[in-house]
Amino acid sequence: MADKPLADLIDSAAGAHLTIRTLPARRGELAATLRALEARVETRADDALAVRGTTPQEAGMLAHHRGIPLTELSIQRSTLEDAYMALTDDAVEYRAKEAA
């Protein structure tokens, strides 16, 4: 399927993202600012931001320059299982039925 080091395979297949938390009143401002820099931002169910397309350093400096306090800035790396599922998703012969 792929001939590359395991860490590169995992990152290319399933990717990594940043988890960023800030004060609820500043979350929207931070998300909009990151999107303006072409980062992909999702607000998760736990109110953290899942951010792709930027580095921790860039996100941290951006927040600092905007005066937005961060309560978490971490990298979430995918697992080997995530990469396997991403690589073989199209090859799945049987799938669970969707709930009606």
Side-chain angles (χ1 to χ4, degrees):
M1 292 183 120
D3 184 19
K4 56 176 78 174
L6 185 57
D8 293 344
L9 173 68
I10 291 170
D11 283 346
S12 67
H17 70 273
L18 300 179
T19 294
I20 304 176
R21 294 180 196 278
T22 187
L23 303 173
R26 305 296 299 271
R27 188 178 307 117
E29 177 186 358
L30 179 59
T33 303
L34 288 164
R35 285 184 184 112
L37 295 177
E38 299 184 7
R40 295 176 312 279
V41 181
E42 296 176 28
T43 301
R44 298 190 329 211
D46 63 357
D47 291 330
L49 299 176
V51 181
R52 289 180 169 76
T54 191
T55 66
Q57 296 82 4
E58 292 170 336
M61 291 303 294
L62 175 72
H64 173 73
H65 288 298
R66 292 287 183 138
I68 302 172
L70 299 182
T71 58
E72 181 181 353
L73 175 57
S74 60
I75 298 174
Q76 305 300 311
R77 298 210 181 272
S78 298
T79 65
L80 181 57
E81 181 180 9
D82 295 332
Y84 177 81
M85 295 304 288
L87 288 168
T88 61
D89 187 53
D90 293 339
V92 174
E93 188 172 338
Y94 302 101
R95 296 185 189 270
K97 293 181 182 179
E98 292 186 23

